[in-house]
Amino acid sequence: MGRPDGRAPDELRPVKLTRQWSIHPEGSVLVEFGATRVLCTASVTEGVPRWRKGSGLGWVTSEYSMLPRATTTRSDRESIKGRVGGRTHEISRLIGRSLRACIDLKALGENSIVLDCDVLQADGGTRTAAITGAYVALHDAVSWMAKRGLLAGKPADAVHRSVAAVSVGVIDGQPRLDLCYEEDVAAEVDMNIVCTGAGDFVEVQGTGESGVFDRAQLDALLDLGVAGCGQLADLQKAALS
Amino acid sequence: MGRPDGRAPDELRPVKLTRQWSIHPEGSVLVEFGATRVLCTASVTEGVPRWRKGSGLGWVTSEYSMLPRATTTRSDRESIKGRVGGRTHEISRLIGRSLRACIDLKALGENSIVLDCDVLQADGGTRTAAITGAYVALHDAVSWMAKRGLLAGKPADAVHRSVAAVSVGVIDGQPRLDLCYEEDVAAEVDMNIVCTGAGDFVEVQGTGESGVFDRAQLDALLDLGVAGCGQLADLQKAALS
Amino acid sequence: MGRPDGRAPDELRPVKLTRQWSIHPEGSVLVEFGATRVLCTASVTEGVPRWRKGSGLGWVTSEYSMLPRATTTRSDRESIKGRVGGRTHEISRLIGRSLRACIDLKALGENSIVLDCDVLQADGGTRTAAITGAYVALHDAVSWMAKRGLLAGKPADAVHRSVAAVSVGVIDGQPRLDLCYEEDVAAEVDMNIVCTGAGDFVEVQGTGESGVFDRAQLDALLDLGVAGCGQLADLQKAALS
Amino acid sequence: MGRPDGRAPDELRPVKLTRQWSIHPEGSVLVEFGATRVLCTASVTEGVPRWRKGSGLGWVTSEYSMLPRATTTRSDRESIKGRVGGRTHEISRLIGRSLRACIDLKALGENSIVLDCDVLQADGGTRTAAITGAYVALHDAVSWMAKRGLLAGKPADAVHRSVAAVSVGVIDGQPRLDLCYEEDVAAEVDMNIVCTGAGDFVEVQGTGESGVFDRAQLDALLDLGVAGCGQLADLQKAALS
Amino acid sequence: MGRPDGRAPDELRPVKLTRQWSIHPEGSVLVEFGATRVLCTASVTEGVPRWRKGSGLGWVTSEYSMLPRATTTRSDRESIKGRVGGRTHEISRLIGRSLRACIDLKALGENSIVLDCDVLQADGGTRTAAITGAYVALHDAVSWMAKRGLLAGKPADAVHRSVAAVSVGVIDGQPRLDLCYEEDVAAEVDMNIVCTGAGDFVEVQGTGESGVFDRAQLDALLDLGVAGCGQLADLQKAALS
Amino acid sequence: MGRPDGRAPDELRPVKLTRQWSIHPEGSVLVEFGATRVLCTASVTEGVPRWRKGSGLGWVTSEYSMLPRATTTRSDRESIKGRVGGRTHEISRLIGRSLRACIDLKALGENSIVLDCDVLQADGGTRTAAITGAYVALHDAVSWMAKRGLLAGKPADAVHRSVAAVSVGVIDGQPRLDLCYEEDVAAEVDMNIVCTGAGDFVEVQGTGESGVFDRAQLDALLDLGVAGCGQLADLQKAALS
């Protein structure tokens, strides 16, 4: 059985990275992986969280959220429920960790960058699209800091590697790259891979959603994911040049 | 002193109503009043709130929210603060009331429509843009219901009038239409006017932000607002045809 | 059809302003508009909210609330629900804005006055009664400050105008002043008007609860409201002398 | 050293029980112990909490709260803090338990009575005043039920005993009845005693606030408290006749 | 009818106090009253709550909680419900007050000790077991402070008396010491008694759960409780030597 | 540099699985990985969450929490903060997913099992200890259901495979099994591996905490983790026989 949109198993969806989508943030990217559409903004603020004061280091963190009707059926707002759900927490933490892997926190001085990733439309892979887009927004925010003399050293030293992410999974026994929603819910194994531009791993998360997986399957998924991240790294480079 | 963007005092900003901006909702409109950009989605759900069950009537409600970096400086998410702020509450209630003025709740049967108005970018007038856009999204959602046989009667009877809104204010003693953010913070009097396509009032809210206002000023603002709403009603009609 | 209590359309309910109803607050007024009974207390505290520090200006704010059985049926406490509702937020903000219109925040120095308006018994018009009573409580608190040398200048300069509020509405096509609860729920148009003692507007909020209204109706309601606020201003003056 | 208001050690403050203070509730009593002023309302509602359904028994519960400026300095509202404090919880539970001791829950059928005790002005002994007043409000609510045929049996069987409460304490080594705030904060031992009209104990809570107490002191306080509750029972009887 | 476990009416359950049950806290005691099992830890932290700063005095407070399946049926976590319940609040406050009765807060300097009492298994008397165990944990924490030179004076002066607690109650008309859960739910009168090693009262809380009680019953319960606390004081002494 | 406790790089800490540690739950295991100590209880309840009703399937979920002083310094309770943190959410979800991999939800009928994993003492690897212990508690709960005739089929079919988990990491370039806290904070790469008794993967989560990792490192960690899980599976088998 082929993929819903006719792609090859190792083919990404059309990816678009639109910089400066908003006028206010220091970095702002609308990232699209097919119909998945995430607005990533990078906000530079003076100062760092209390537990970090006096360290001479900056901080990068992220908040992920979904508009209530980004999905096929409407979900309740977390603001109205009065609490952030487990899935939201988990993804926000993943994005934050991933982006901290590409930045020299010393170069920021005691300043913070918040990466807000708001899903405007969801069709699978929202967290990996968010990481991929947030990298570009972060890069723009660091350049903004450099122009204002807020950076110790050059932007290229502050953002010393690129970071991108993609989902992979096994559907009907077949390893596939960059799952859309329809594939995501059908996947036997589901994996998110975050890599640097050099092809090293930043984070690997694999789950046997409706079963278990063996080493051979894991290896196949890792191969697919690394290759996909490589293509995304090229697209990020192109967007930033 | 002229307006920051050179407009005439009675001139609207460029207004754009993009229907079907998202693929999932039953109605979905990106509304732009200059740099203000609000995504309005209409979600149809079966059933009504508990207090309305058995009435035979439907329900229309609204939730307004702002992305954290829709503004010049980042604000904290209400989901993380764990509560919805007073301003958010106030605007959500205003949008809900305004849209209920244009719909026959009997025609909906015991079904609900939620109008989510998420501000992606803010430059003044977000609540009036939201009402203006939400009307078009609501219209599309009602047509969607009609196509599925969920509506009692014709869409034109269910949505029996149009509703649009605009802000007006006094800056440096001069009454002006459709204030941008820079004008909004400088306004001595600030007013939001919600009108039907026929020019009747649905809601009038005027505040002497840094002073008081007399009957003559109030009259001048009402004139400006009614005229502005008339132009918006024409734009809504054009968008829907 | 006449009014439930036989009043003329332009007649206020019996209004009572009892100063020093409580012993602890710096200002404390029990205000009654017919059966509506609101306890307004003014609390002077040193310091201002963080965002205002160093401005040299004081701050006046308000919190409105209803006892659970102020109404015909009991409502749940917001403390137990764990959040303040939209209506409460909206009214608190309205009272705060209205009272700030009558005070010179510079004269307060960096001190705050909180106006707590707790509805002990509700029969329509609780927010307008609250504003009318809070003005008198605020006036007493400012006099208290003057006696203790906490005020820059004279009380009459600090509270440079009076503020009162009244509801108006259209019932069975007839414009009426100061609606009781029975009229409030039946009103086609409902309006709250806040005026200074000099007859200028501080705030105007009109809603077509179950319909829309035209300019003529709006004008009639404004006339009624301005006249009603004038009578309330006289009662405030009498209470304070 | 004598008492601040010149009372004898075993003397109550002037106690006033004003029935029907509010128009809406089924029972409503303004109770005053000196300057302490608590509004006690009893609300009858159909049905019982979920865990009690099908038992054939009714339920009586209580919610205690203080207005923010009932005290000498203003305290923050629990609705705004988003949670009910420990002291509030503790007192609400005490009032509920105490009042359940005087009522036959079977006679209520599956109906509930909520006793709201809102402190309008505090000068020590708010919880004991609340219990004393709530008994009278509960009695009125039960009579209201009887008139509407909602009661199994006669009111006198449903409310089969009276309940009153008073505080006692040791100040400067002297046992005293019905402490005002000034005495309350100075007390070495502080005790609340809830008794039936027949002089039996419903609840006894004694605390060595700034020390410990021996059996002789405990006995002296119990004697004082029982006598005080006896006087309060007479006042309740008088108020109800 | 005899007791479920064959004890004499004035007999404690087997009591065990295991010191240093955990490796991290400054004091840590697993206390067992029969099957009731509470982990009491004492945490020393620098500084005191804001309202106490500059007083030169330390602070001792407590937090009580139950694991969700400490009981026969599972209860929901308060962390997930988003709020601490009334019973939890009440018991935490009781433990804190009781332990403050045995310590000289001046000797602590401006340092705090938090006593966490987590019920791992519940079979009645969790609050009294918690107080009894927390005393031993507090004693160990104070010794720890002394060794590090954080204490003004000797440990024996800082902890100048011991504190223990036990429940007593009337079941089938018979006064009994140290109720297990089965007795607790059947008790007509239920009382918690907190005493010093010298036999003075720190706190006395008696409730007629399903009735009322007279002075003779109260006296019998006080006798039982004082004797029980005496035995517990001996066990505490033995554990600490 | 050797390991803090002298273990070989591929050596587990002493592991203990104590069944029936508590008397109330249907399954209850105290699991110890060295000084890490987690109480895992399995609670069987009738019914399933609302979204699962009518499916004929059961549900297994988990809640993870830490006692405030399980760690070297005290952390605030989530019940008092009023919300569950991101880390807690993330781990609870991981445990739930992992345990659902070993159970046939059809065999449970429409019943639920909640796995509460409460960390009594933490020294690294709390989530992997929790999964390993929760499996044994779940197994006991399923046997309990079988004895009461609540299970469709045999326990061995309901729990059709075993599940265990272990942490692995790279410290000073050396891959190590089962990190203690001191190693955990120093790890360059940190990974949690969940395997079945047959050696298949259920979940793989690897993070470059302070760097990135290549394929060779990933492979070495996977080898270590699979071997460690094999040993844990043997210990689980022994505990259950």
Side-chain angles (χ1 to χ4, degrees):
Chain A
M1 256 213 41
R3 305 185 72 167
D5 50 5
R7 277 185 287 153
D10 62 348
E11 195 182 340
L12 290 173
R13 289 177 284 181
V15 172
K16 252 168 79 180
L17 292 156
T18 309
R19 285 165 72 197
Q20 292 164 323
W21 196 80
S22 327
I23 55 174
H24 299 308
E26 286 73 43
S28 134
V29 170
L30 185 77
V31 56
E32 294 167 90
F33 277 33
T36 288
R37 201 183 273 171
V38 185
L39 177 56
C40 305
T41 63
S43 297
V44 177
T45 52
E46 256 185 88
V48 284
R50 199 183 318 177
W51 52 269
R52 215 175 170 78
K53 274 183 188 157
S55 66
L57 301 171
W59 187 238
V60 169
T61 188
S62 174
E63 292 180 7
Y64 167 96
S65 188
M66 251 196 202
L67 293 197
R69 196 57 199 281
T71 42
T72 49
T73 55
R74 188 179 183 277
S75 27
D76 291 335
R77 284 176 197 270
E78 295 184 327
S79 59
I80 284 179
K81 289 194 281 187
R83 57 179 152 204
V84 172
R87 182 183 173 276
T88 300
H89 260 144
E90 202 171 301
I91 299 179
S92 295
R93 286 160 56 89
L94 170 64
I95 303 174
R97 274 199 314 272
S98 297
L99 272 298
R100 284 193 293 275
C102 73
I103 197 152
D104 176 10
L105 294 170
K106 210 166 195 169
L108 298 185
E110 291 205 3
N111 294 298
S112 297
I113 301 179
V114 184
L115 299 162
D116 286 292
C117 298
D118 287 90
V119 179
L120 305 187
Q121 190 164 278
D123 187 27
T126 59
R127 79 189 73 186
T128 49
I131 292 170
T132 304
Y135 166 73
V136 178
L138 177 64
H139 198 283
D140 278 346
V142 168
S143 302
W144 181 94
M145 288 178 75
K147 273 190 213 134
R148 267 145 204 83
L150 294 169
L151 208 66
K154 295 185 197 162
D157 295 329
V159 186
H160 52 83
R161 51 166 83 102
S162 73
V163 165
V166 78
S167 74
V168 288
V170 177
I171 290 100
D172 297 329
Q174 186 191 52
R176 293 185 187 171
L177 178 67
D178 186 21
L179 312 185
C180 66
Y181 180 71
E182 190 185 331
E183 293 174 316
D184 194 38
V185 296
E188 294 115 48
V189 186
D190 181 21
M191 201 155 190
N192 291 296
I193 290 173
V194 188
C195 282
T196 64
D200 284 317
F201 295 107
V202 171
E203 184 110 11
V204 167
Q205 295 193 340
T207 305
E209 288 290 344
S210 61
V212 296
F213 51 107
D214 61 22
R215 187 68 171 264
Q217 284 176 306
L218 177 55
D219 283 336
L221 290 173
L222 291 169
D223 290 342
L224 264 185
V226 170
C229 284
Q231 294 177 51
L232 292 168
D234 291 343
L235 292 165
Q236 290 172 322
K237 208 183 244 175
L240 282 166
S241 68
Chain B
M1 255 215 41
R3 304 187 71 168
D5 50 5
R7 276 186 286 152
D10 62 349
E11 194 182 342
L12 290 173
R13 289 177 287 180
V15 171
K16 249 167 81 178
L17 291 156
T18 309
R19 285 166 71 197
Q20 292 164 325
W21 197 80
S22 326
I23 54 174
H24 299 308
E26 286 73 44
S28 135
V29 170
L30 185 75
V31 57
E32 294 167 270
F33 276 33
T36 286
R37 202 185 272 172
V38 185
L39 177 56
C40 306
T41 65
S43 297
V44 177
T45 53
E46 257 185 87
V48 284
R50 199 181 319 176
W51 52 269
R52 215 175 170 79
K53 274 184 190 158
S55 65
L57 300 171
W59 187 239
V60 169
T61 187
S62 175
E63 292 180 9
Y64 166 96
S65 188
M66 252 197 202
L67 293 197
R69 195 57 200 281
T71 41
T72 49
T73 57
R74 188 179 184 274
S75 27
D76 291 336
R77 286 176 195 268
E78 295 184 327
S79 60
I80 284 180
K81 288 194 279 187
R83 55 181 152 202
V84 172
R87 181 183 174 277
T88 299
H89 260 145
E90 200 171 302
I91 299 179
S92 295
R93 287 159 57 90
L94 168 64
I95 302 174
R97 274 199 314 271
S98 297
L99 273 296
R100 284 194 293 276
C102 72
I103 197 151
D104 175 9
L105 293 171
K106 210 167 195 168
L108 296 185
E110 289 206 4
N111 295 298
S112 297
I113 300 179
V114 184
L115 299 163
D116 286 292
C117 299
D118 286 271
V119 180
L120 306 186
Q121 191 165 276
D123 187 27
T126 60
R127 79 189 71 187
T128 49
I131 291 170
T132 305
Y135 165 73
V136 178
L138 177 63
H139 198 283
D140 278 346
V142 168
S143 301
W144 181 93
M145 287 178 76
K147 274 190 213 134
R148 268 147 203 81
L150 294 168
L151 209 67
K154 295 186 198 161
D157 295 329
V159 185
H160 52 82
R161 51 167 82 102
S162 73
V163 165
V166 77
S167 74
V168 287
V170 177
I171 291 99
D172 296 329
Q174 184 191 54
R176 293 185 186 171
L177 178 67
D178 186 22
L179 311 186
C180 66
Y181 180 71
E182 192 185 331
E183 292 174 317
D184 193 39
V185 296
E188 293 115 49
V189 186
D190 180 22
M191 200 157 191
N192 291 297
I193 290 173
V194 187
C195 282
T196 65
D200 283 318
F201 295 107
V202 171
E203 183 110 12
V204 166
Q205 295 194 339
T207 306
E209 289 291 343
S210 60
V212 298
F213 51 106
D214 61 24
R215 188 67 171 263
Q217 284 176 306
L218 177 55
D219 284 335
L221 290 172
L222 290 169
D223 290 342
L224 263 185
V226 170
C229 284
Q231 294 177 52
L232 291 168
D234 292 342
L235 291 165
Q236 290 173 323
K237 205 182 245 175
L240 282 166
S241 67
Chain C
M1 257 216 42
R3 304 186 71 168
D5 50 5
R7 276 185 286 153
D10 62 349
E11 195 182 341
L12 290 174
R13 289 176 286 181
V15 171
K16 250 169 79 179
L17 291 156
T18 309
R19 284 165 73 196
Q20 292 164 323
W21 197 80
S22 327
I23 55 174
H24 299 308
E26 285 74 43
S28 134
V29 169
L30 185 76
V31 57
E32 294 167 270
F33 277 33
T36 287
R37 201 184 274 171
V38 185
L39 177 55
C40 306
T41 64
S43 297
V44 176
T45 53
E46 256 184 87
V48 285
R50 199 181 319 178
W51 51 270
R52 215 175 171 78
K53 275 185 188 157
S55 65
L57 301 171
W59 187 237
V60 170
T61 186
S62 175
E63 291 181 8
Y64 166 96
S65 187
M66 251 197 202
L67 292 197
R69 195 57 200 281
T71 42
T72 50
T73 55
R74 187 179 184 276
S75 28
D76 292 335
R77 285 176 195 269
E78 295 184 327
S79 59
I80 284 180
K81 289 193 280 186
R83 56 181 152 202
V84 172
R87 182 183 173 278
T88 300
H89 260 144
E90 202 170 301
I91 299 179
S92 296
R93 287 159 56 90
L94 169 64
I95 303 173
R97 273 199 314 271
S98 297
L99 272 297
R100 283 193 294 275
C102 72
I103 196 150
D104 175 9
L105 294 171
K106 210 168 195 168
L108 297 185
E110 289 205 5
N111 295 298
S112 298
I113 300 179
V114 184
L115 299 162
D116 286 292
C117 298
D118 286 90
V119 180
L120 306 187
Q121 190 166 278
D123 186 28
T126 61
R127 79 188 73 187
T128 49
I131 291 169
T132 305
Y135 166 73
V136 179
L138 176 64
H139 197 283
D140 277 346
V142 167
S143 301
W144 181 94
M145 287 178 76
K147 274 190 214 136
R148 268 147 204 81
L150 294 168
L151 209 67
K154 294 187 199 159
D157 295 329
V159 185
H160 51 82
R161 51 166 83 101
S162 74
V163 164
V166 77
S167 74
V168 287
V170 177
I171 291 100
D172 296 329
Q174 185 190 52
R176 293 184 186 171
L177 178 67
D178 187 21
L179 311 185
C180 66
Y181 180 72
E182 192 186 330
E183 293 174 316
D184 194 39
V185 295
E188 294 114 48
V189 186
D190 181 20
M191 200 157 191
N192 290 296
I193 290 172
V194 188
C195 283
T196 65
D200 284 317
F201 295 107
V202 171
E203 184 109 12
V204 166
Q205 295 194 339
T207 305
E209 288 291 342
S210 60
V212 297
F213 51 106
D214 61 23
R215 188 66 171 264
Q217 284 176 307
L218 177 54
D219 284 335
L221 290 172
L222 290 168
D223 289 343
L224 263 185
V226 170
C229 283
Q231 294 177 53
L232 291 168
D234 292 342
L235 291 165
Q236 290 173 324
K237 208 183 245 176
L240 281 166
S241 68
Chain D
M1 258 213 42
R3 304 186 71 168
D5 50 5
R7 277 185 285 153
D10 61 350
E11 195 183 341
L12 290 173
R13 289 177 285 181
V15 171
K16 251 169 80 178
L17 292 156
T18 309
R19 285 166 71 198
Q20 293 166 322
W21 197 80
S22 325
I23 55 174
H24 299 308
E26 286 74 43
S28 134
V29 170
L30 185 76
V31 57
E32 293 167 270
F33 278 32
T36 288
R37 202 183 273 171
V38 185
L39 177 55
C40 306
T41 64
S43 298
V44 177
T45 52
E46 257 184 87
V48 284
R50 200 182 317 177
W51 52 269
R52 214 174 171 79
K53 275 185 188 156
S55 66
L57 301 171
W59 187 238
V60 170
T61 188
S62 175
E63 290 180 9
Y64 167 97
S65 188
M66 250 195 203
L67 293 197
R69 195 57 198 281
T71 41
T72 48
T73 55
R74 187 178 185 276
S75 27
D76 292 335
R77 286 175 195 268
E78 295 184 326
S79 59
I80 284 179
K81 289 194 279 186
R83 57 180 152 202
V84 172
R87 182 183 173 276
T88 299
H89 260 144
E90 202 171 300
I91 299 179
S92 296
R93 287 159 56 90
L94 170 64
I95 302 173
R97 274 199 313 272
S98 298
L99 272 298
R100 284 193 294 275
C102 74
I103 198 151
D104 175 10
L105 293 171
K106 210 167 194 170
L108 297 185
E110 290 206 4
N111 295 298
S112 297
I113 302 179
V114 184
L115 299 162
D116 286 293
C117 298
D118 286 90
V119 180
L120 306 187
Q121 190 164 278
D123 186 28
T126 60
R127 79 189 72 186
T128 50
I131 291 169
T132 304
Y135 165 75
V136 179
L138 177 64
H139 198 282
D140 278 345
V142 168
S143 301
W144 182 93
M145 288 178 75
K147 274 191 214 132
R148 268 147 203 82
L150 294 168
L151 208 66
K154 294 185 199 159
D157 296 329
V159 185
H160 52 83
R161 51 167 82 101
S162 74
V163 165
V166 77
S167 74
V168 288
V170 178
I171 291 100
D172 295 329
Q174 186 191 52
R176 293 185 185 169
L177 179 67
D178 186 22
L179 311 185
C180 66
Y181 179 71
E182 191 186 330
E183 293 174 316
D184 193 39
V185 296
E188 294 114 49
V189 186
D190 181 22
M191 200 156 191
N192 291 297
I193 290 172
V194 188
C195 282
T196 66
D200 284 318
F201 295 108
V202 171
E203 184 110 10
V204 167
Q205 294 193 339
T207 305
E209 288 292 343
S210 61
V212 297
F213 51 106
D214 62 22
R215 187 68 171 264
Q217 285 176 305
L218 177 55
D219 283 335
L221 290 173
L222 291 169
D223 290 342
L224 263 185
V226 170
C229 284
Q231 295 177 52
L232 291 168
D234 292 342
L235 292 165
Q236 289 173 324
K237 207 182 243 176
L240 282 167
S241 67
Chain E
M1 256 214 45
R3 304 187 70 169
D5 50 6
R7 276 185 287 152
D10 62 349
E11 194 183 341
L12 291 174
R13 288 177 285 180
V15 171
K16 252 167 78 180
L17 291 156
T18 308
R19 286 165 70 197
Q20 291 165 324
W21 197 80
S22 327
I23 55 174
H24 299 308
E26 286 74 43
S28 132
V29 170
L30 185 76
V31 57
E32 294 167 271
F33 277 32
T36 288
R37 203 183 271 170
V38 185
L39 178 55
C40 306
T41 64
S43 298
V44 177
T45 52
E46 257 184 88
V48 285
R50 199 182 319 177
W51 51 270
R52 215 175 171 76
K53 274 185 190 158
S55 65
L57 301 171
W59 187 239
V60 169
T61 187
S62 175
E63 292 180 7
Y64 167 97
S65 187
M66 251 196 203
L67 293 198
R69 196 55 199 282
T71 42
T72 48
T73 55
R74 188 178 185 276
S75 27
D76 291 336
R77 286 176 195 268
E78 295 184 326
S79 58
I80 285 180
K81 288 194 279 186
R83 56 180 151 202
V84 172
R87 183 184 172 275
T88 299
H89 260 144
E90 201 171 303
I91 299 179
S92 295
R93 287 160 55 91
L94 169 64
I95 302 173
R97 274 199 313 271
S98 296
L99 271 298
R100 284 194 293 275
C102 73
I103 197 150
D104 175 10
L105 293 170
K106 209 168 195 169
L108 297 185
E110 290 206 3
N111 295 299
S112 297
I113 301 180
V114 183
L115 298 163
D116 286 292
C117 297
D118 286 272
V119 180
L120 306 187
Q121 190 164 277
D123 186 28
T126 60
R127 78 188 73 185
T128 51
I131 292 169
T132 305
Y135 165 73
V136 179
L138 176 64
H139 198 282
D140 278 346
V142 168
S143 301
W144 181 93
M145 288 177 75
K147 275 192 211 131
R148 267 145 204 82
L150 295 168
L151 209 68
K154 295 188 200 158
D157 296 329
V159 186
H160 52 82
R161 51 166 83 102
S162 74
V163 165
V166 77
S167 74
V168 288
V170 178
I171 291 101
D172 296 330
Q174 186 190 51
R176 293 185 186 171
L177 178 66
D178 187 21
L179 311 185
C180 67
Y181 180 72
E182 192 186 329
E183 293 174 316
D184 193 40
V185 295
E188 295 114 48
V189 186
D190 180 21
M191 199 156 191
N192 291 297
I193 291 173
V194 188
C195 282
T196 65
D200 284 317
F201 295 108
V202 171
E203 184 109 11
V204 166
Q205 295 194 339
T207 306
E209 289 290 345
S210 61
V212 296
F213 52 106
D214 61 23
R215 187 68 171 263
Q217 284 176 306
L218 176 55
D219 284 335
L221 289 173
L222 291 169
D223 290 341
L224 263 185
V226 170
C229 284
Q231 295 178 52
L232 291 168
D234 291 343
L235 291 165
Q236 290 173 322
K237 207 184 245 175
L240 282 167
S241 69
Chain F
M1 258 214 41
R3 305 186 71 169
D5 50 6
R7 278 185 286 152
D10 61 349
E11 195 183 339
L12 291 172
R13 288 177 286 181
V15 171
K16 251 167 80 179
L17 292 156
T18 308
R19 286 166 70 197
Q20 291 163 326
W21 197 79
S22 326
I23 55 174
H24 299 309
E26 287 72 43
S28 134
V29 170
L30 185 76
V31 57
E32 294 167 90
F33 277 32
T36 287
R37 204 183 269 171
V38 185
L39 178 55
C40 305
T41 64
S43 297
V44 177
T45 52
E46 257 184 87
V48 284
R50 198 182 318 179
W51 51 270
R52 214 175 171 79
K53 273 184 189 158
S55 66
L57 300 171
W59 186 239
V60 170
T61 186
S62 175
E63 291 180 8
Y64 166 97
S65 187
M66 251 195 204
L67 293 197
R69 196 55 199 283
T71 42
T72 49
T73 56
R74 187 178 184 276
S75 26
D76 292 335
R77 286 176 195 268
E78 294 184 328
S79 58
I80 284 180
K81 289 194 280 185
R83 57 181 151 200
V84 172
R87 182 183 172 275
T88 299
H89 260 146
E90 200 171 302
I91 300 179
S92 295
R93 287 160 56 91
L94 169 65
I95 302 173
R97 275 199 314 271
S98 297
L99 271 299
R100 284 194 293 275
C102 74
I103 197 151
D104 176 9
L105 292 171
K106 209 167 195 169
L108 297 185
E110 290 207 4
N111 295 298
S112 297
I113 301 179
V114 183
L115 299 162
D116 285 293
C117 298
D118 285 273
V119 180
L120 306 186
Q121 190 165 278
D123 186 28
T126 60
R127 78 188 73 184
T128 50
I131 292 170
T132 304
Y135 166 73
V136 178
L138 176 64
H139 198 281
D140 277 346
V142 168
S143 301
W144 181 94
M145 288 178 75
K147 275 192 212 131
R148 267 145 204 83
L150 294 168
L151 209 67
K154 294 186 200 161
D157 296 328
V159 185
H160 52 82
R161 52 165 82 104
S162 73
V163 165
V166 77
S167 74
V168 287
V170 177
I171 291 101
D172 295 330
Q174 186 191 52
R176 292 184 186 170
L177 178 67
D178 187 21
L179 310 186
C180 67
Y181 180 71
E182 192 185 331
E183 294 175 315
D184 194 40
V185 296
E188 294 115 47
V189 186
D190 181 21
M191 199 157 191
N192 291 297
I193 291 173
V194 188
C195 282
T196 65
D200 284 318
F201 295 107
V202 171
E203 184 109 11
V204 166
Q205 295 194 339
T207 306
E209 288 291 342
S210 61
V212 297
F213 51 106
D214 61 23
R215 187 68 170 263
Q217 284 176 306
L218 177 55
D219 283 336
L221 290 172
L222 290 169
D223 290 342
L224 262 186
V226 170
C229 284
Q231 294 178 50
L232 291 168
D234 291 342
L235 291 165
Q236 290 173 323
K237 207 183 244 175
L240 282 166
S241 67

